[in-house]
Amino acid sequence: MVGVEETKSVKYKSKKRSENIKKILTIVVLTAFALIILFPLVWMISTALKSDEELFKGFHLIPEAWKWSNFPKAWQAVPFTRYTLNTLFITILCMIGTILSSSLVAFGFSKMNFKGKRIIFPIVLATMMIPGSVTMIPTYILFARLHWVGSYLPLIVPAFFGSAFYIFLLRQFMMGIPNDYLEAAKIEGANDLKIYATIILPLVRPALISVAIFEFNAKWNDFLGPLLYITKDKMYTLQFGLRSFQSAHGTEWQLFMAASIIVLIPVVIIFFCLQRYFIEGVSMSGIK
Amino acid sequence: MQSFKGKPKEFVTFKKSINGYLFILPWVIGFLAFTAYPMLFSLYTSFTDYNITSKQDWLGLKNYTSIFTTDRYFRIALGNTLYYVLFTVPLVIIFALILASLLNTKVKGIGIFRTIYYLPSVMSGVAVTLLWMWIFDPSGGLINGILHLFGIQGPGWFQDPNWSKPALIIMRIWSIGGSMILILAALQDVPISLYEAAELDGAVGFRKYWHITLPMISPTILFVAITTIIGAFQVFDTAFIASNGKGGPQNSTLFYVFYLYNKAFKDLKMGYASALAWILFFIILAITMVQLFISNRWVHYEGGDK
């Protein structure tokens, strides 16, 4: 250890310098990773603006001629407007359903006293660990027997019965609300439902927004659900529209990329506007 | 449980409980209809021969024995899945740890980096798989294009049975944002006083990381490991889209859930597919149990002797 021999001021200076070097190195590495992560997206945009002939002309990022027309062309190649409306319909209903049901259940588990709570809540957590592939087949059979296959019902109805992950997330938030607030309202004569609606819901708004955007993403990007339950072309979601587009148009990558960008844009915009809620939501989902 | 901290334990009668039950009723109904009943029905179905329209004929253990003794595709699918899990899980954890540690520094504009690193995680589905299929395109794609600049002839990726799984693994690692954010949150919870104490003891750099940071965030790493393994065992969407629903080339992307899907919805062998599902369930359960068991040795819980 040489440092022991040094005087205090020299030691301080060298420490400061090494800290600066460390900072610069960190920024360099951070930037390198950022470029690697962003590159596929830059490539996607670049491809979407290229012409058909330019695609296989060797590696270059800047298109020779900017083909903005790829976007309307891709949009019209399959009925994307219809698919957007279908997807929005499913997504919005699921968001409403899951916010309502999950927050009611979370309120029950965080602020209500009832027999068996200590047994039931761990069951809620345990269901998060059950692989979806185990329940996939019997759930399909259930919906087939109800004659729901080929309709949107199997995609929407389950959202109205709460989801374990969202219940857990909202409960974590609700636990942080002091019981005094509720006691005060109770003394004034408010019943449980009123307390839930007028006190709890406004206070957990950030968590509700997290749940809303998680659910939006999940349903907007859902592939397996429509794959199992949607049988008619005109009921396709955007994800399915993209897939049928791909199988019908072979290797027109510039059009696929243009269509993919259109499908991804709402997700990206929501992320940029509400990223705080994404990050808080994910951070809260860890078991502490 | 923190909910009733400080309060005397009160006796809750059934009558007082009714309002609570009403609030959790949606979950109870959903649990019975979409989890409990399906699981019991699936367990029963796995011992039968059933194609939705037929009546269910009891087969006993026959589905299970033929899976283990004669089913070549079961072995292929399980092998592919284990390959995927074995590479994906450690890589996801290592990269999430690296990125989270980088993000846990105080430099200007760190929020921008966090946004960029998390961005891929919000994008999924067909659009992203299409993007990666194009990136991995052997002739016009990005990766082979870059390799070509260095005079390297890139592999066929999704067209080569040896490279299709690595391509899917790279795709997966691109979107590790969720795990990264969880680890970052844990890193930010490590009390600074611990580091200061360690510095007084002369610990620096990597030793500090190894002896303080890692133990303190080990519960989160365990959580990330368990959820990543469960997810990796069920890889389906990307493989299905990238191979156009075929699992090719040469069954190299025929993963477990993919095979299960084929058996159930292409061959309509619901009983057989249910048996496959239960085998997967027990594999995942066993691995999770083993992890929790081993974790006693390496996971550090604050304030507890567990």
Side-chain angles (χ1 to χ4, degrees):
Chain A
M1 284 274 183
V2 189
V4 182
E5 311 286 319
E6 287 168 347
T7 63
K8 253 193 178 161
S9 75
V10 173
K11 201 174 166 185
Y12 177 75
K13 249 189 197 164
S14 77
K15 199 183 168 194
K16 186 112 203 230
R17 227 181 82 189
S18 80
E19 251 170 33
N20 275 336
I21 293 173
K22 221 177 118 188
K23 245 181 197 172
I24 291 168
L25 262 174
T26 310
I27 292 175
V28 170
V29 179
L30 277 167
T31 314
F33 273 117
L35 290 177
I36 294 170
I37 289 169
L38 284 181
F39 212 66
L41 299 174
V42 175
W43 172 250
M44 182 184 215
I45 297 166
S46 144
T47 303
L49 291 169
K50 284 177 181 167
S51 69
D52 196 15
E53 310 87 64
E54 211 189 322
L55 281 188
F56 293 93
K57 266 195 193 163
F59 172 72
H60 61 288
L61 267 186
I62 312 291
E64 285 161 10
W66 297 63
K67 295 267 284 182
W68 291 101
S69 59
N70 285 339
F71 285 90
K73 211 169 151 191
W75 188 259
Q76 281 146 16
V78 280
F80 270 119
T81 313
R82 169 100 211 195
Y83 298 159
T84 310
L85 293 175
N86 293 344
T87 312
L88 276 176
F89 178 74
I90 298 170
T91 306
I92 290 171
L93 279 177
C94 283
M95 283 165 74
I96 295 171
T98 208
I99 288 175
L100 260 177
S101 56
S102 300
S103 64
L104 276 169
V105 177
F107 177 75
F109 279 119
S110 60
K111 295 294 174 198
M112 302 290 289
N113 252 343
F114 55 87
K115 241 185 178 166
K117 187 158 99 167
R118 277 151 205 251
I119 302 163
I120 302 173
F121 190 67
I123 299 178
V124 178
L125 294 184
T127 59
M128 280 201 272
M129 297 289 177
I130 297 173
S133 40
V134 177
T135 51
M136 175 172 85
I137 295 168
T139 314
Y140 179 87
I141 295 171
L142 173 72
F143 289 135
R145 286 182 175 172
L146 292 169
H147 300 287
W148 283 7
V149 173
S151 78
Y152 290 142
L153 289 171
L155 303 179
I156 296 168
V157 171
F160 283 81
F161 295 94
S163 127
F165 173 67
Y166 300 139
I167 293 169
F168 171 69
L169 200 80
L170 291 168
R171 175 185 171 271
Q172 296 286 89
F173 266 80
M174 290 180 188
M175 296 286 260
I177 298 170
N179 284 333
D180 307 357
Y181 289 16
L182 315 188
E183 305 288 335
K186 232 174 210 169
I187 289 164
E188 283 168 28
N191 63 21
D192 294 324
L193 203 60
K194 197 172 174 198
I195 292 174
Y196 155 81
T198 58
I199 298 177
I200 297 286
L201 282 190
L203 284 173
V204 295
R205 218 180 68 124
L208 292 176
I209 296 175
S210 297
V211 170
I213 52 185
F214 283 145
E215 181 71 0
F216 175 85
N217 261 13
K219 295 300 160 180
W220 190 266
N221 295 327
D222 187 22
F223 179 72
L224 187 59
L227 178 69
L228 290 177
Y229 295 113
I230 292 179
T231 45
K232 282 184 233 99
D233 291 14
K234 61 173 192 204
M235 289 180 72
Y236 276 179
T237 59
L238 278 173
Q239 300 295 331
F240 255 69
L242 268 183
R243 190 162 168 255
S244 71
F245 182 29
Q246 178 219 359
S247 27
H249 288 256
T251 54
E252 289 174 273
W253 289 105
Q254 77 285 10
L255 296 185
F256 301 158
M257 290 303 108
S260 296
I261 289 172
I262 299 172
V263 172
L264 286 174
I265 273 180
V267 173
V268 173
I269 289 177
I270 289 177
F271 172 63
F272 277 115
C273 297
L274 300 170
Q275 63 154 311
R276 185 165 74 86
Y277 299 100
F278 266 100
I279 306 230
E280 270 170 24
V282 178
S283 308
M284 283 296 277
S285 71
I287 291 170
K288 290 206 174 139
Chain B
M1 291 272 118
Q2 49 201 130
S3 53
F4 306 116
K5 217 183 236 171
K7 269 191 186 175
K9 208 172 176 186
E10 46 184 300
F11 180 70
V12 194
T13 60
F14 183 78
K15 209 177 162 197
K16 271 189 185 168
S17 299
I18 285 181
N19 276 1
Y21 292 141
L22 284 177
F23 273 100
I24 66 162
L25 192 62
W27 176 80
V28 174
I29 297 172
F31 172 72
L32 293 176
F34 304 121
T35 307
Y37 161 74
M39 286 188 74
L40 289 175
F41 183 74
S42 154
L43 188 62
Y44 169 68
T45 307
S46 75
F47 297 108
T48 62
D49 183 23
Y50 185 50
N51 72 2
I52 295 189
T53 50
S54 72
K55 66 182 193 11
Q56 280 179 282
D57 292 321
W58 183 260
L59 289 179
L61 285 171
K62 195 170 158 278
N63 284 332
Y64 289 92
T65 48
S66 37
I67 288 171
F68 284 118
T69 52
T70 54
D71 192 341
R72 194 169 74 90
Y73 291 103
F74 165 73
R75 263 168 259 166
I76 293 173
L78 188 61
N80 284 337
T81 308
L82 288 176
Y83 178 115
Y84 181 83
V85 171
L86 230 53
F87 283 96
T88 303
V89 175
L91 287 171
V92 164
I93 294 173
I94 289 168
F95 275 105
L97 204 56
I98 292 174
L99 294 186
S101 303
L102 283 168
L103 287 177
N104 192 31
T105 44
K106 285 197 181 70
V107 290
K108 257 187 200 155
I110 199 79
I112 299 168
F113 288 113
R114 194 183 58 186
T115 305
I116 293 173
Y117 291 1
Y118 188 67
L119 181 63
S121 303
V122 300
M123 301 191 274
S124 64
V126 181
V128 173
T129 311
L130 275 176
L131 167 63
W132 283 96
M133 284 169 74
W134 170 231
I135 286 173
F136 284 122
D137 188 89
S139 43
L142 173 68
I143 293 196
N144 282 6
I146 292 175
L147 289 176
H148 187 77
L149 293 180
F150 296 98
I152 302 166
Q153 171 70 41
W157 298 107
F158 286 124
Q159 291 161 31
D160 180 339
N162 291 319
W163 286 93
S164 52
K165 280 189 284 287
L168 288 170
I169 292 166
I170 292 171
M171 259 183 84
R172 173 66 184 84
I173 291 164
W174 187 58
S175 41
I176 52 168
S179 313
M180 178 194 76
I181 294 291
L182 280 174
I183 295 175
L184 178 61
L187 285 172
Q188 287 169 344
D189 276 349
V190 180
I192 298 170
S193 58
L194 275 182
Y195 291 116
E196 287 165 355
E199 267 165 43
L200 285 179
D201 290 339
V204 283
F206 187 71
R207 277 191 52 195
K208 235 173 16 181
Y209 196 82
W210 187 256
H211 289 290
I212 296 171
T213 313
L214 283 182
M216 288 303 288
I217 64 169
S218 54
T220 305
I221 294 179
L222 175 68
F223 179 71
V224 169
I226 289 176
T227 49
T228 311
I229 287 179
I230 295 177
F233 262 105
Q234 299 184 80
V235 53
F236 175 77
D237 293 15
T238 49
F240 188 89
I241 300 161
S243 69
N244 205 6
K246 294 189 181 73
Q250 290 171 40
N251 294 319
S252 63
T253 58
L254 184 73
F255 292 108
Y256 199 100
V257 174
F258 198 153
Y259 179 53
L260 187 160
Y261 170 87
N262 282 347
K263 273 285 165 207
F265 300 104
K266 289 231 168 88
D267 304 349
L268 285 178
K269 294 200 165 184
M270 295 290 173
Y272 197 88
S274 298
L276 284 170
W278 278 94
I279 292 168
L280 179 66
F281 179 70
F282 279 109
I283 293 174
I284 292 177
L285 190 70
I287 290 177
T288 308
M289 289 300 177
V290 169
Q291 267 184 299
L292 288 172
F293 184 71
I294 304 174
S295 73
N296 281 332
R297 292 194 203 149
W298 65 272
V299 173
H300 167 91
Y301 287 101
E302 222 178 331
D305 45 5
K306 202 186 164 186

